[in-house]
Amino acid sequence: MVRDLPGAQHGRARGGPGSAAAADTAVATGCPPPDSARPDTVQPSRPAVRPSPGTPPDKVSHRARGPSSYPMHPPRTPAPPRVVAYTHTMPSALTASQIREAFLKFFEERGHRRVASSSLVPANDPTLLFTNAGMVQFKDVFTGREKRDYKRATTSQKCVRAGGKHNDLDNVGYTARHHTFFEMLGNFSFGDYFKPDAIAYGWEFVTKTLGLDTQRLAVTVFNGEGGIPWDEEAFELWAKQGVPRERIYKLGLKDNFWAMGDTGPCGPCSEIHYFQGNDIACVEEAAGKTCQGVACDCDRWLEIWNLVFMQFERKEKDAPLIPLPKPSIDTGAGLERIASVVQGKRSNYETDLFQNIIAKVSELCGKTYTQEGGASMRVVADHSRAAAFLISDGVQPSNEGRGYVLRRIMRRAIRHGTQLGLDELFFFKVVDRVIDLMGDAFPELRESRTFVLEVCRHEESGFRQTLNRGLKLIDEELAKLQKSGGKQLSGEVIFLLHGTYGFPWDLTQIIARERGYDVDLEGFKVLIGQGGPTGPIGPGQGIADVYMKLVERLGPTQFLGYEGEGHEGEGSIRAILKDGAEVTQASQGDKVELVLDRTPFYGESGGQVGDTGRVVGHGGKSVAQVEDAQRPVAGLVVHTVNVTEGTFKVGDMVQAGVNVERRKSIRANHSATHLLHKALKLVLGEHVKQAGSVVAPDYLRFDFSHFSPATQEQLEKVEDLVNGWIRDNAAAETRVMKLEDAKKSGAVAMFGEKYGETVRVVTVHPESTELCGGTHVRRSGDIGLFKVTSESGVASGVRRIVALTGIGALQYVREQEHELRRAAELLKTSPKDLSKRVEATQKRVKELERKVEEVAVKAQTAGSKDLLEQAREVNGMKVLATQVDSADDSVLRGMADQLRDRIRSGVVAIGGEKDGRAIILVAATKDVVARGINAGALVREMAKEVGGKGGGKADMAQAGGPDAAKLPAALEKLYELVKGAGAA
RNA sequence: GGGGCCAUGGCUCAAUGGGAGAGCGCUCGGCUUGCACCCGAGAUGUCCGGGUUCGAAUCCCGGUGGUUCCA
């Protein structure tokens, strides 16, 4: 199970804009599609809550209780007293795409910059598993760490929520509002406009642009709690918009106060709720309590808009709030919810966003969608969206972190697919539909279509394989249980299925129950609890908290390696870690980790290994050897050092120097890696994508996606291209630019790599432009020579190339040359003629072998005429046992064959001596075999004479033994044996 | 980084631990004016290195390569 996201949802249980979508805890509505949800019958003007003059009576649900039953003033408590029908109709049936566009345009017209959705994988934010709210990409802008050239922005942000305490994933498909993937519409003000405009914009968009019935709307404001004053300003502003005062509710910290975390910006929020009807199920009521109205978790009053007024800042945990000089606005509105309200649906799944996907699922499985039985289809529809977007943002199914979340989503969808009767790969087809539907709004989907579909296919076929294997295991275990009379599948088995076969426990449970068995969930929970480092767990694991805290406190380390020679620099020690704990100083003999404010040391990342070198302080009195430099968290460089002289204290100024030769080699290898990447694309095809890379001083290793081994010709072509570019001696250049611009310019971005707002674009040669944070040569010629040394497979669809550059490559070539020369000398020829010579030698060896055998057979059979005469008559069979000089297996066999043929009917034994050991071969003709003669049995007995063993078939057998001197006796025994056999 | 499976002629594949085969392809010959078909003949060999065994393509260990799963 995935753990709670560290820091992801701190302090915003329900308060943030985010809560307008998946964090919902609504229970399944189980409602049939409302009668009135027929957009085509709907009048465009003021929709009537009570039957109004404009609405014909027949458009009103039969369940309506009449005008008086409509709660004009939604009470917080108690809940509306009576059931009110779901009678409203919508002025227009805007599609979700139209709503999205209307929203963005609305704010664009009001001075907002339309900003593209950021990746689902948050850039430079290891605290967050996935982008889960609209403001994520603006986090640093709100805190002031980052500046943008606009003060107002609007986005439709891709979001994923599939984890957390309540494990939302289990609900998805069974409720009206839970999703793994959703879009968050947002408008943001960075110290520009504040409450008045934010409220006015929100109200205008909801009531005018969307045309939602004001009668059904209510708003909430912060009531003041915990020493923070109530938000009277917001209250008055809403009232000014025309919201009746009695429908502005004051809610507490839990609902209407937002904070990014324990520290940082925070402020009250204010929400718009939409009344759906009192016939909607409510948990509170189901539990015998009363519905909490706008404060209730149920869907009667649906939160559709959340305004966050960032006006305070908290410097330290539990410290008093300080007003921000320039308060900001962060708005969130879940597109799926808004669409459902606008389209008059009671479930997000009824909107066009999902129905268009469900139609595809329905078509594939040949079943019609029904609200009640459609859970599996809803699961597939929802999960296919998440999968499409996650994969296109570079997440790949795996066993941990983000990849594990994706895998669970995909496997859950595939399992539901099998429940719908989809026995062949189907998931990629649904995902393909998602790309069709969403590709206009999110072009990245189209761009990565082939890849996304491939990943889906792969995951599904993989899962279907383990699915079957796992089912087999369950069968076996259940069979065991049957024997032993047990009733419960053990926790170990569930754990094994979970860990090894990717079976969620609930699937195991379902299968076991189908066959009348129970499962030991308690035992499983115990095992999963101690899952340890091998268990699939959440993100942040492995990133020790120490580093997280360091980077939060100290900010990123400045890397000096880009400028000039970049191997020396001065910095001050900001932190010292010993055995993972912070200390204030380190002295001679200590092995510690140093964090500097600035460093020329490259911390291992992007495949490039960390630098080594030394750090010197106190005018040379203190020296530490840097054995490695790592980057445990984005932005933080940690030097692993051995203090060899003196002491180092936090705050000391130090001189840092990188091992120059080593760095040079690394640079050459890194630049060569870029050229190799490009050359592979040209030679093997555009599908070649980097799948991993190691840039070390002594070699480079490059993994890439490609489905068959590269041929020798292709590799040579790659070498030629790369070496050609090296000889061009092009000036390498690095530009720092915005991510968007870099992508536009066609720079190769690593799939799934996290990039910040600004990126480094490295052009080693005009042919190769890549986003890269590593260190590179000045001119391509600095690489020297490029030589591929191996090509091999790593995983399915992934090949690996290992190559050398510069002196390393030269040495390699030289070694090969030496080897060649040595071989040539041994064969007394020149390297040039070596292969010819080997060929000739092989041929000659073969010829000689053949001749030897020929001669031997000839020599032996020459005297075999006489041998035939030695045959004796035993039990009416001719029996011959004789000894020959030659003792090669195949020669003896040839002779035995010949003798057997010539004897016509009988048994032949030939003995020979080889290296002092006896060999005996017995052959019998078919007719005597039919009479009960068994060569195998005979030879076994004879072998005993020479102290050996043997065996074979009835018509041909051989044996051997150490006592060659006893051969005559052994052979003589044949006659007796045949006599006995014949008599029997 | 670890595990599974696989490796036999140019290709696709056979061969209970007991004599390395088939089909296709290839070469040559015959038939044919010629080509194709057809007929006949032939060449090409168990990935490498150890071990077990009387005997290994077969079993074991190591290596190499392929493939696949896991990390």
Side-chain angles (χ1 to χ4, degrees), chain A residues 5-16:
Chain A
L5 321 182
Q9 290 167 328
H10 284 174
R12 54 185 316 178
R14 255 184 63 84

Side-chain angles (χ1 to χ4, degrees), chain A residues 702-741:
Chain A
F702 188 74
D703 295 350
F704 57 99
S705 51
H706 184 59
F707 286 93
S708 56
T711 65
Q712 191 56 37
E713 292 75 43
Q714 288 170 329
L715 291 179
E716 280 169 15
K717 205 155 179 204
V718 166
E719 280 183 357
D720 288 347
L721 278 170
V722 172
N723 281 306
W725 294 330
I726 290 171
R727 284 191 302 273
D728 288 342
N729 201 19
E733 65 164 0
T734 303
R735 278 167 298 161
V736 177
M737 58 172 83
K738 284 196 181 164
L739 181 58
E740 286 169 50
D741 298 335

